[in-house]
Each structure stands twice: as structure tokens, then as C-alpha cells.
Amino acid sequence: MNHYLKNISLFFVLGIALLWSGCSGPKEFVMKETPSAPQAKDFPKDDAVYLLRRSNIRVSADGLTFREDVHIQLKALNKWGARNLSRAVVYYNPTFTKVKNFHARIIRPKRWITKVKRPIDIPTISGKSKYFRSGRRKEARLSNPLPGSVLEYRYTREGSTWSLSRHFFQSNYPVINE
């Protein structure tokens, strides 16, 4: 029980720190070419590495609404990591959340950059389950990722029910900068 209370107090302190810091919204992309480091030899057991995984969360004073600005940069270290760079996905429930300002691009070696003009918005589950039928995802599909490429995407989630983004749970890639 004591461990449970410690986790709740830590979460509360982190939330206050985020509010206190005056988090700013997404800014324009700044990376012009793929960084030379890190390389596959630096992470021999991994296919990709997060160069940046940042999430700024603001909760309204009354605690009823939130705004989360997310910025992700994921670099492919080999051909298997490059396969994972073909999609940038944001999951959400439109009943409680809106996804705005979703921008994605892939920066390949030698400055070949592809931006996604319009991400697609599709349901996450096509079944008839009454519990999951409202889930959706915004997805940007990017073609021809190569080893050494960087997938960069940003988005803003706003709504009344906040939960951790899936990029915090669904990956075991090393993180260089958070």
C-alpha cells in the first residue's frame, strides 16, 4: 500500500512540474538532415533508437480538460528498424479527445525529405464490440524508409480524458533525449 501511495504522489508532483514549466505547443520542424550519430554499432541489439521523445501536458486549472503536445524523432539503425519507420500513428477516442496539428515526415540520408500532406483517419477496431468501436487512429504512411532515416512527427491531443500516449508503452527502443 505504501508503494502505491508513493507512485500517486510522484505522478502528482510530475503533473505539477509540467504545469509549472509553462509547456509550449509544437514548433516547426528544424532537422534538415539525418544526424550521423547514433549508429548501429552504438546499439548492436536494437533496430532503431528514439532521438527525441517529448510530451508536454497541460491540464486546465479546474482539472477537466488537457492539452498534450508530442514530438517524436525515431532513427532506423538497420533494415528492420527502417521497416518500422513507414508509419506514424496516433491513437485516440473521438468521444473524449481531438487530435490536431498532426505533421509527419521522414528524413533519409543525403537530405531526401518526404512530408505527409494529409494523414488518414481510420477506426482502430472493425468489430462490433461496444467497448472498442469508438477508437480511432490518425496515421501518416511514409514510403521508402532506409537505414539511417529519421521519422519525425508531431501532434496535439486535446480533450477531457487524458491517458498516456502509446509511444510510452509500446516500444523498447533506447531513448537518447526525452
Side-chain angles (χ1 to χ4, degrees):
M1 185 68 173
N2 199 9
H3 178 69
Y4 178 73
L5 292 174
K6 190 182 291 185
N7 285 341
I8 289 176
S9 62
L10 177 64
F11 185 73
F12 180 74
V13 169
L14 287 173
I16 296 298
L18 285 169
L19 287 172
W20 187 272
S21 68
C23 305
S24 60
K27 294 180 179 51
E28 190 60 35
F29 291 124
V30 293
M31 186 183 295
K32 302 294 182 200
E33 60 185 274
T34 59
S36 57
Q39 297 178 358
K41 65 180 179 170
D42 300 327
F43 298 93
K45 295 181 180 180
D46 296 301
D47 299 326
V49 62
Y50 280 101
L51 299 176
L52 177 69
R53 189 172 73 168
R54 181 167 292 151
S55 182
N56 296 319
I57 304 149
R58 284 189 237 170
V59 179
S60 64
D62 60 6
L64 298 177
T65 61
F66 77 95
R67 176 185 168 114
E68 178 185 31
D69 297 311
V70 177
H71 185 188
I72 304 289
Q73 292 174 343
L74 184 64
K75 182 177 180 180
L77 300 176
N78 55 36
K79 67 179 181 177
W80 303 110
R83 288 178 49 187
N84 291 331
L85 268 60
S86 63
R87 296 183 327 138
V89 181
V90 180
Y91 295 91
Y92 70 103
N93 184 330
T95 305
F96 306 108
T97 309
K98 291 181 184 176
V99 175
K100 299 178 177 182
N101 303 323
F102 184 62
H103 302 285
R105 68 182 185 156
I106 191 163
I107 307 159
R108 295 175 196 83
K110 300 184 181 174
R111 299 184 181 174
W112 178 28
I113 299 173
T114 303
K115 293 181 182 178
V116 172
K117 302 284 189 224
R118 292 186 193 131
I120 58 174
D121 192 351
I122 52 181
T124 55
I125 296 182
S126 59
K128 296 185 184 210
S129 170
K130 67 180 181 178
Y131 300 108
F132 298 108
R133 69 174 158 225
S134 60
R136 298 192 67 78
R137 72 177 184 252
K138 282 200 188 246
E139 183 175 304
R141 295 182 182 164
L142 299 140
S143 62
N144 212 15
L146 304 168
S149 298
V150 174
L151 170 65
E152 182 174 35
Y153 62 102
R154 297 172 175 263
Y155 61 89
T156 300
R157 286 191 318 154
E158 295 178 339
S160 59
T161 303
W162 180 78
S163 63
L164 279 174
S165 299
R166 286 194 179 188
H167 63 262
F168 284 105
F169 295 113
Q170 300 299 321
S171 178
N172 58 358
Y173 295 142
V175 178
I176 303 296
N177 190 6
E178 273 194 294

